[in-house]
Structures are given as structure tokens and as C-alpha cells.
Amino acid sequence: MATGHWPAWRGEKMKNINKKLSLISVLIFLVIIPLSAKDSIGLGLQFGAIGSEKTFSSSSTISGDTISMPYTKTTFNPDIQILLSFPICDINENCFFGLDFGYNFSWDYSYGSFTSYQRETYALSHRFSVMPEFTYIKAKLRIFAGTGFAFGIEPYKYESVINKSYYSSEYTDYKLFWTFNTGVKYKFSEHISVITDFTFFVNFFDTYTDDDYKSKTSGSNVMEFLPKIGLMYQF
């Protein structure tokens, strides 16, 4: 006699089947779609240095008056990128459209010391990017350019000693970037290529919480410049 209820074990079985079908669909997309392009899927590892020029301000009190003194700081921090490149379709016999997924990891350490003051700063940066690109083919040379977006997670830690008193603070900054990338790739063999490019990051939104202090900013338009070089294996 039917009860009108779907048994729990059948529901779990259907969920497992749907998961398997989703996985198979993704694999079919990753394997079949690139077959329509002139290039193949590539996995790359690159090394570079990310640089930026930012304006800061410091203040001093002289005779009871506080004076603000802005200054500009230029930094270059080491960067490692893992790149996954998917050719999608041909536009003509010399050009194709593709999609790149990137993960960037960089770090920064600074130390400052004065008569009664010491300060250390640790900062890490994790960035995940998605970038549609157009690639032009000339024999073994590939010239590419694209634009997209990136999401950044940046943990910070400050440690300072002032008049023998120790202070520390930690917070995580979350950022959104507009990105632009251009470069060249040269195929040494069927599977190995050298790739060098330049990526620009423009930060248009960031937010963080530092103890009881919350900050959200937008429109700062700070540009970061990342030249890098590495190898790519194409399947």
C-alpha cells in the first residue's frame, strides 16, 4: 500500500547520482570544449614581483599643534602564481578565445626601529582571478591579452614595542580587483612552453575588521603591477 512519502534512502541515492552526473558534465566540458580550439589545456607556474606605489600619512605634534605629513612608499614583494588555462573556441585560423583561472600568493615583511620604538609587520596575500583572454597565434608564438576580476584575502599582523611595552594586532583584509593581463607564450615542444606576462590589479573595494574598528572603502583605485615569468605544461 502506497504511503505517498519518498523513502529517505531513495532521496540520498538521487543526490549521489546528481553529484556524479554533475562531475561527469564538468569533465566533458573540460575535455571536449578545448578540442574546438587550436591550443590545449595548460597548467603553469610563474614567479614574479608585485609592485605598488601608495600614499600614507604620519603626524607629529609641535607646540600643541598636530601636523600631518603625507609620504609615498613604493614596494615590490615576491609573488608565485599557479595558472590554469582553458582554450574554448576559435575565432579565426590565427586567433582563439579562452578562460584563465589564477591563484597568486605573495608576502611582505617590514621592520622599523627607533630609540624607544620597534615595529614588525607581516602580510600575506591570496588572490583568485578569472580572466577571459584572446590569443593570437604566430607559429610557436602566442600573444595574449585579457581582462577580468580577482578576489583577495590578505591577513596582516603587527607587532610593536614602545617604551618596553609590547603591542600586537591582527586582521584580515578582503578585496576586489579589476585585472588586466597581457603577455607572450613560446612553445618549445608539444607540451612545454615558456610564458611571460604583465598583470595589472586595480583595487576598487576592500573591507576589514580590526578588533572593534570596521572599515569599508571603495574607489581608491590603487594600481599594482605584476611582471612574471615561468613554464606551462599543455596536455
Side-chain angles (χ1 to χ4, degrees):
M1 182 176 179
T3 61
H5 295 286
W6 187 265
W9 65 269
R10 290 188 178 181
E12 290 297 326
K13 187 175 181 180
M14 288 301 298
K15 288 181 180 179
N16 292 332
I17 292 175
N18 290 334
K19 289 180 180 179
K20 291 179 181 179
L21 289 177
S22 299
L23 178 60
I24 293 173
S25 300
V26 171
L27 293 175
I28 291 174
F29 173 81
L30 296 181
V31 174
I32 294 181
I33 294 299
L35 295 179
S36 65
K38 290 182 171 63
D39 230 334
S40 55
I41 297 173
L43 178 64
L45 179 64
Q46 293 178 275
F47 301 90
I50 186 166
S52 64
E53 186 176 273
K54 299 178 182 179
T55 300
F56 300 87
S57 63
S58 62
S59 60
S60 299
T61 302
I62 302 175
S63 300
D65 295 327
T66 301
I67 302 174
S68 178
M69 296 174 290
Y71 64 95
T72 300
K73 181 181 179 181
T74 302
T75 60
F76 282 91
N77 299 317
D79 183 275
I80 298 174
Q81 175 174 264
I82 298 174
L83 178 66
L84 196 56
S85 181
F86 287 96
I88 293 179
C89 63
D90 291 338
I91 297 175
N92 55 47
E93 62 181 24
N94 295 319
C95 183
F96 68 86
F97 172 76
L99 193 62
D100 284 356
F101 300 91
Y103 165 68
N104 287 81
F105 173 71
S106 60
W107 59 94
D108 180 24
Y109 170 79
S110 61
Y111 174 80
S113 178
F114 301 95
T115 304
S116 59
Y117 173 76
Q118 293 180 346
R119 179 175 181 178
E120 289 183 284
T121 304
Y122 310 86
L124 300 176
S125 175
H126 306 270
R127 299 185 184 185
F128 306 87
S129 60
V130 178
M131 190 173 307
E133 285 189 337
F134 293 93
T135 300
Y136 175 77
I137 300 175
K138 183 67 176 180
K140 294 184 177 181
L141 187 68
R142 273 80 170 133
I143 303 171
F144 54 87
T147 184
F149 295 93
F151 172 67
I153 304 173
E154 301 182 0
Y156 289 86
K157 182 177 181 180
Y158 297 93
E159 295 180 339
S160 60
V161 178
I162 304 175
N163 294 325
K164 298 183 178 181
S165 297
Y166 174 79
Y167 302 91
S168 68
S169 177
E170 295 183 44
Y171 67 90
T172 301
D173 204 351
Y174 300 94
K175 297 182 177 181
L176 289 176
F177 302 89
W178 168 77
T179 63
F180 173 77
N181 184 60
T182 183
V184 295
K185 180 170 60 178
Y186 184 82
K187 297 193 70 172
F188 275 102
S189 65
E190 181 181 356
H191 297 289
I192 303 297
S193 300
V194 171
I195 179 171
T196 180
D197 57 22
F198 302 90
T199 303
F200 299 88
F201 294 91
V202 179
N203 176 22
F204 63 87
F205 178 80
D206 65 76
T207 177
Y208 69 89
T209 300
D210 184 4
D211 294 330
D212 293 330
Y213 179 74
K214 296 182 180 180
S215 173
K216 291 183 180 180
T217 62
S218 60
S220 56
N221 295 328
V222 175
M223 178 177 288
E224 295 173 293
F225 174 68
L226 174 59
K228 52 191 182 295
I229 188 170
L231 295 175
M232 174 172 283
Y233 182 85
Q234 292 185 268
F235 298 90

